[in-house]
Amino acid sequence: MKKESIYLAAPISTEGDVMYVNYLASELRKLGYNVHSPIEDEEINDKTKDPKAEDIFNNDNNAIDNADIFLVVETGREQVGTHTELGGELALQRKGLSNKELICFTNNFRLNNPQTQNGIPSASANHYTLGGVWQHGTFVEGMTKGLLEYMKKRRKA
């Protein structure tokens, strides 16, 4: 069976983000997937080499183009790079230029089950983004555990 390739789109701006994304990439590899996580791309993340924005753009897009699966972590908070990548993939899918599998999930407890007080939710997600995912892909319930179970099942299918 061919090892499918995943592009892991996720926020990587904090230490917590980096630890989580490294954990998730490791767990997906244990399930038998090849994973491209931009945080592991030493060519663009070794800032002593002073990578240009164009290098980051081109490296990430090359990895997206070569992936079988575009996997996005929706945190319900600002994640400009992740949403820009997702928007690019959704545009390609809308125009019939990409048929890669799109999978999204949240690792945000409050987004998964928000509380509301005085009409204000404790978390939010962009409905344009979610609408694109629901129209062109799969939104997996159950946070990280649910995602890993889903990925394990689809690997066996």
Side-chain angles (χ1 to χ4, degrees), residues 1-35:
M1 180 185 289
K2 175 189 176 254
K3 265 191 167 185
E4 291 178 295
S5 177
I6 295 173
Y7 181 85
L8 180 52
I12 55 174
S13 59
T14 69
E15 287 179 296
D17 290 338
V18 171
M19 290 186 312
Y20 175 74
V21 170
N22 285 338
Y23 162 77
L24 184 56
S26 174
E27 292 300 305
L28 291 165
R29 288 181 182 116
K30 288 176 188 175
L31 294 176
Y33 294 96
N34 287 322
V35 179

Side-chain angles (χ1 to χ4, degrees), residues 8 11 16 23 25 35 41 43 45-46 66 75 82 89 95 98 101 106 110-111 117 120 136 139 144 154:
L8 180 52
Y23 162 77
V35 179
D41 187 343
E43 187 175 325
N45 284 309
D46 181 352
N66 289 308
T75 65
T82 303
E89 179 58 30
K95 294 179 180 190
S98 173
E101 187 173 357
T106 186
R110 288 186 174 152
L111 186 61
Q117 184 171 346
I120 300 172
H136 295 283
F139 192 94
T144 303
R154 73 168 296 291

Side-chain angles (χ1 to χ4, degrees), residues 121-139:
S122 60
S124 65
N126 182 282
H127 280 218
Y128 179 86
T129 301
L130 292 175
V133 168
W134 286 325
Q135 186 169 351
H136 295 283
T138 302
F139 192 94

